[in-house]
Amino acid sequence: MAQEQILTQEGKPLKQALRRALRREKMRSILLIAPLLAFVLVAFIAPIADMLFRSVENGIVADTLPETVVALQDWDPSTGELPDEAAYVALYDDLTVAVEKKIHTRLGSRLNYEQSGMSSLFRKAGRTVRSIEPGSPDMKQQLIDSDAAWGNLDTWALLKRYSGRYTPGYFLNAVDAEMNADGIEMKPDNERIYLYLFVRTLMLSLIITFSCLVLGYPISYLLAHLPLRKANLLMVLVLLPFWTSLLVRTSAWKVLLQQQGVINDLLVWAGIVDNTHRLVMINNATGTIIAMTHILLPFMILPLYSVMKTISPTYVRAARSLGATSWTSFWRVYFPQSVPGIGAGAVLVFILSIGYYITPELVGGTSGIFISNRIAYHISSSLNWGLAAALGTLLLVVVLFMFVLYDRIVGIDNVKLG
Amino acid sequence: MELQPYDSTLEKIWHYAFMVICGLIFFFLIFPILVIIPLSFNATDFFTFTPEMLSLDPAGYSFKHYMDFFTNPDWQQALWNSVIIAPMATLLATSFGTLAAIGLARSHVPFRGAIMAILISPMIVPLIISAAGMYFFYSRVGLQGTYWGVVLAHAVLGTPFVIITVTATLVGFDRSLERAAASLGANPVITFFKVQMPLILPGVISGALFAFITSFDEVVVVLFLGSASQKTLPWQMFTGLREQISPTILAVASILVTLSVILLTFLEIMRRRSERQRGMSPS
């Protein structure tokens, strides 16, 4: 039996009309979202993608020394022999052009990240190429005479290693490894800093998360069990710090924790601390932990509170009526129900603290700084952007991983503010 | 949180101990913020209470740090930059964000999860990474060191908050109201302004407040993206704290604390209004 088609009033098949209506509905939603999506893609996602690209991008050798790169293609450093005359001629030609464009020093400082001494070698090369006649014979010997480094196998091996357009070099640096003639290996112990810094960032973030939990749990419990009117009043004490400028709170801690600050003054006045032995609580890890615990505490209390509010008091009452002590009824009945709140708060505080920059910078000294501070240093002071990008990428991976975890536990749609 | 008649002595002791612990934690939360207010009236350039202040001697107090804030050109320029940049960023974030939240709340949105993840990402990515990426990218396109660069960056950072707050108000939104308006002959634009907008307005306003605070309080991105002429208030505070500890910071901080008290009051009023409108009893 042929199925009879249902038609709309205008005589079109119903299915088709419905599909069209659905498509129109989808188009409307897309049109509403599109402006913001485009804006975020251009102003935010593209910069992040640019940073990811920078962490592996390495066009500078190939762009500055194009002929040398070609000449080195068939050369194998493992033979232990220096490149032939043609490579030296190519290097001379490339350097001449580079010196004219004044870009040879940039290449020098780039390669200096991988091997120290390269920066001065290339600066010197600027003077060298002017003193050598173009087209003169035995270019190899002349260059080696100008600087013995050109007769060193390592220099050439380095050039060849970084002649590709992409490099794992920055990432290796970011985990304290390096690529040398024998392949990838870890740097000597005394030169390792980044792994240590990553570990410290993780450790301090864990300590901060834990102290937020210890301080936040009783407060959330109290707020969830007080009558609503009183709870809302006390909530103001949590929300006021939450809404107060980060820099205000950081300056407050600077004022309080200084050696000539309010807390030390109080301790001296109370006779607990001798005036000549004032406590050092700032410009070290202690300062970072105290200030950041204070700053992130509301981010622990708010999710914990919203979970605790939903826990019905009847379970605890039932436990008590069955003879449980108040501790047993809390620990065996109430606490397990509050675990989702702990998870939500802890992951949130951890994500926020791991990427912190301002507070560690101002109160962290040297022992309380995070990986972010090192990233900032490489962007604005050492100008090693590739390394900054690689460190940033690693940090981003950790944060995104934590965030996926958060999404599983809480769900991004359930984020509440204030 | 009340003592029960059947509580043992130990439980009674614990009850009072718990109250004391909570009091101490509240003290930890609030004391650092409040202590800077009296210190900001310090007549000396120190960051600590002088004996004159403790004995409540009027000579120990002065408005000189406030005077410095209102007369020093560095601070004034920073203040004006903040006052100009933050509203522009807020306007951009709120208008784009509200539209997108309304779009996302509709029933048929393809790739909703992925879109949401992208739109929320500025809130998740650590600021130093956003700042680094923007610094590299905005330099390439010539926006680094310009007002527009800072405004765009701050707007992007503020949008997730708008999305979240507006989405939250839309959860309680009754779609049949829209259909009722349509059946009475209103077109979608009129429906939006006359029916939808008044109901989601509290969410939009608190989203806008979040976006404003994000920009007004943001320092990491502006440090990298701005040049000296885009110096904002947080930037000036940051350099003031890092280089030489200028006591003017305490006056600025006290003003900002007062502002956040006002803001908090306003937000609370908005929240009650929103709950009343959605037929919940205000709590």
Side-chain angles (χ1 to χ4, degrees):
Chain A
M1 193 177 93
Q3 208 174 2
E4 201 182 317
Q5 254 190 342
I6 306 169
L7 299 180
T8 62
Q9 220 175 1
E10 288 110 42
K12 287 182 198 147
L14 182 64
K15 267 191 180 169
Q16 196 186 326
L18 279 175
R19 216 177 302 136
R20 184 170 300 164
L22 193 63
R23 206 179 314 135
R24 209 180 302 135
E25 179 84 352
K26 275 187 185 174
M27 279 306 294
R28 272 200 199 136
S29 322
I30 292 288
L31 275 179
L32 287 168
I33 302 169
L36 182 64
L37 192 60
F39 178 51
V40 173
L41 283 176
V42 172
F44 189 78
I45 301 295
I48 299 290
D50 186 40
M51 186 197 77
L52 298 182
F53 174 68
R54 246 175 221 280
S55 63
V56 291
E57 191 256 3
N58 185 51
I60 188 163
V61 180
D63 288 339
T64 321
L65 307 173
E67 288 177 37
T68 316
V69 168
V70 174
L72 285 179
Q73 239 156 28
D74 297 325
W75 175 66
D76 183 6
S78 61
T79 57
E81 279 176 36
L82 284 173
D84 53 13
E85 176 74 14
Y88 281 89
V89 174
L91 178 70
Y92 173 80
D93 293 343
D94 284 339
L95 278 175
T96 316
V97 179
V99 169
E100 228 165 81
K101 289 194 208 154
K102 295 194 170 108
I103 53 174
H104 60 295
T105 50
R106 263 175 49 205
L107 177 61
S109 41
R110 162 69 185 95
L111 289 174
N112 208 53
Y113 299 144
E114 313 300 340
Q115 189 174 313
S116 52
M118 294 309 272
S119 183
S120 59
L121 175 66
F122 273 86
R123 240 181 289 122
K124 198 169 165 193
R127 298 191 292 275
T128 306
V129 292
R130 282 195 208 98
S131 64
I132 300 176
E133 281 293 309
S136 58
D138 210 3
M139 194 60 81
K140 186 172 181 173
Q141 201 51 51
Q142 292 205 46
L143 276 170
I144 294 175
D145 286 344
S146 77
D147 194 318
W150 294 121
N152 190 340
L153 201 68
D154 289 346
T155 313
W156 287 95
L158 181 77
L159 276 183
K160 185 172 169 77
R161 217 163 35 240
Y162 287 94
S163 60
R165 292 227 150 245
Y166 300 98
T167 173
Y170 294 122
F171 274 102
L172 291 175
N173 260 335
V175 292
D176 292 331
E178 59 190 347
M179 193 164 49
N180 53 30
D182 313 323
I184 295 166
E185 54 184 46
M186 294 302 285
K187 286 187 182 171
D189 274 342
N190 56 349
E191 284 176 32
R192 294 186 192 173
I193 44 174
Y194 298 112
L195 281 184
Y196 173 70
L197 210 51
F198 269 113
V199 170
R200 179 160 78 196
T201 306
L202 290 176
M203 284 311 294
L204 285 181
S205 300
L206 277 177
I207 295 174
I208 290 161
T209 308
F210 183 73
S211 16
C212 280
L213 180 62
V214 169
L215 296 181
Y217 199 92
I219 290 292
S220 317
Y221 185 88
L222 179 76
L223 289 175
H225 287 81
L226 281 178
L228 217 50
R229 192 173 290 276
K230 276 188 191 166
N232 274 337
L233 212 65
L234 283 177
M235 194 53 139
V236 170
L237 299 181
V238 178
L239 289 177
L240 183 64
F242 181 72
W243 278 105
T244 305
S245 160
L246 172 69
L247 279 158
V248 170
R249 285 183 281 168
T250 310
S251 6
W253 282 111
K254 218 158 167 148
V255 169
L256 287 174
L257 296 176
Q258 281 187 90
Q259 282 207 288
Q260 301 301 322
V262 176
I263 292 181
N264 262 314
D265 278 354
L266 262 177
L267 290 176
V268 170
W269 176 78
I272 299 169
V273 175
D274 186 54
N275 195 16
T276 48
H277 296 92
R278 284 169 172 257
L279 301 179
V280 184
M281 295 177 289
I282 204 164
N283 297 331
N284 53 24
T286 318
T288 306
I289 292 171
I290 296 177
M292 280 182 60
T293 300
H294 179 251
I295 287 164
L296 295 174
L297 189 50
F299 291 96
M300 179 66 86
I301 295 178
L302 295 175
L304 253 182
Y305 171 65
S306 65
V307 168
M308 284 182 177
K309 248 193 348 191
T310 63
I311 301 176
S312 163
T314 48
Y315 298 117
V316 172
R317 258 185 252 140
R320 300 277 332 236
S321 78
L322 289 169
T325 61
S326 53
W327 168 251
T328 313
S329 60
F330 167 76
W331 184 244
R332 303 277 299 275
V333 177
Y334 189 86
F335 184 77
Q337 296 185 76
S338 69
V339 167
I342 295 181
V347 180
L348 184 63
V349 169
F350 189 76
I351 292 178
L352 289 171
S353 67
I354 203 169
Y356 244 60
Y357 165 68
I358 292 298
T359 309
E361 182 79 19
L362 289 174
V363 299
T366 47
S367 66
I369 59 161
F370 283 13
I371 195 76
S372 313
N373 304 90
R374 201 67 194 173
I375 297 175
Y377 164 78
H378 282 306
I379 296 172
S380 51
S381 304
S382 83
L383 304 182
N384 190 348
W385 290 5
L387 182 55
L391 289 170
T393 306
L394 290 179
L395 178 61
L396 186 63
V397 169
V398 176
V399 170
L400 287 186
F401 171 75
M402 295 303 299
F403 184 71
V404 172
L405 202 69
Y406 182 82
D407 195 31
R408 289 272 164 80
I409 299 176
V410 198
I412 179 66
D413 298 345
N414 293 329
V415 182
K416 282 210 190 74
L417 302 160
Chain B
M1 249 1 271
E2 272 166 38
L3 273 178
Q4 304 298 335
Y6 49 76
D7 277 337
S8 66
T9 324
L10 204 65
E11 281 168 348
K12 278 183 187 133
I13 294 173
W14 168 243
H15 175 85
Y16 290 113
F18 182 75
M19 289 298 166
V20 172
I21 292 170
C22 286
L24 287 175
I25 301 171
F26 278 122
F27 181 75
F28 170 74
L29 268 170
I30 226 67
F31 176 70
I33 295 171
L34 295 187
V35 79
I36 52 180
I37 295 177
L39 277 177
S40 70
F41 294 103
N42 199 332
T44 64
D45 282 349
F46 297 121
F47 270 147
T48 191
F49 288 101
T50 55
E52 293 82 28
M53 291 180 86
L54 290 175
S55 60
L56 295 178
D57 179 358
Y61 295 86
S62 90
F63 282 102
K64 69 179 213 179
H65 304 315
Y66 288 86
M67 286 303 289
D68 184 47
F69 173 63
F70 285 110
T71 52
N72 186 323
D74 276 347
W75 283 103
Q76 284 306 298
Q77 194 211 350
L79 174 67
W80 284 115
N81 276 337
S82 278
V83 167
I84 292 164
I85 290 170
M88 287 205 289
T90 306
L91 192 68
L92 272 176
T94 312
S95 40
F96 283 169
T98 307
L99 274 187
I102 292 170
L104 279 166
R106 296 168 72 103
S107 37
H108 302 282
V109 185
F111 312 113
R112 181 191 263 133
I115 292 176
M116 197 70 176
I118 291 174
L119 297 186
I120 297 292
S121 61
M123 194 173 79
I124 301 145
V125 174
L127 277 171
I128 189 71
I129 294 174
S130 313
M134 286 173 172
Y135 176 70
F136 299 145
F137 186 76
Y138 285 25
S139 317
R140 282 183 206 251
V141 295
L143 276 171
Q144 203 270 333
T146 64
Y147 274 101
W148 278 112
V150 178
V151 168
L152 290 182
H154 280 184
V156 146
L157 293 177
T159 49
F161 298 102
V162 180
I163 301 253
I164 287 173
T165 50
V166 177
T167 308
T169 34
L170 281 170
V171 167
F173 184 74
D174 189 353
R175 293 290 305 261
S176 58
L177 291 174
E178 256 174 82
R179 266 173 254 137
S183 76
L184 290 169
N187 65 34
V189 178
I190 293 185
T191 314
F192 175 75
F193 281 107
K194 295 263 175 192
V195 179
Q196 221 167 5
M197 199 59 195
L199 284 170
I200 62 169
L201 196 62
V204 175
I205 292 178
S206 38
L209 272 179
F210 270 104
F212 183 83
I213 283 293
T214 306
S215 170
F216 200 74
D217 195 25
E218 203 288 323
V219 55
V220 187
V221 168
V222 78
L223 273 176
F224 287 93
L225 267 193
S227 62
S229 56
Q230 285 92 43
K231 184 164 67 180
T232 58
L233 209 50
W235 175 339
Q236 180 72 19
M237 290 181 80
F238 180 74
T239 41
L241 276 172
R242 190 163 61 169
E243 279 143 29
Q244 82 294 352
I245 301 192
S246 130
T248 312
I249 286 168
L250 292 188
V252 183
S254 306
I255 295 173
L256 289 181
V257 170
T258 317
L259 273 181
S260 39
V261 171
I262 295 171
L263 189 99
L264 191 62
T265 318
F266 182 69
L267 261 185
E268 182 63 18
I269 294 169
M270 289 307 301
R271 191 178 65 86
R272 290 187 186 196
R273 197 181 118 108
S274 161
E275 288 186 349
R276 233 187 351 258
Q277 272 184 339
R278 286 155 60 189
M280 298 162 151
S281 58
S283 51

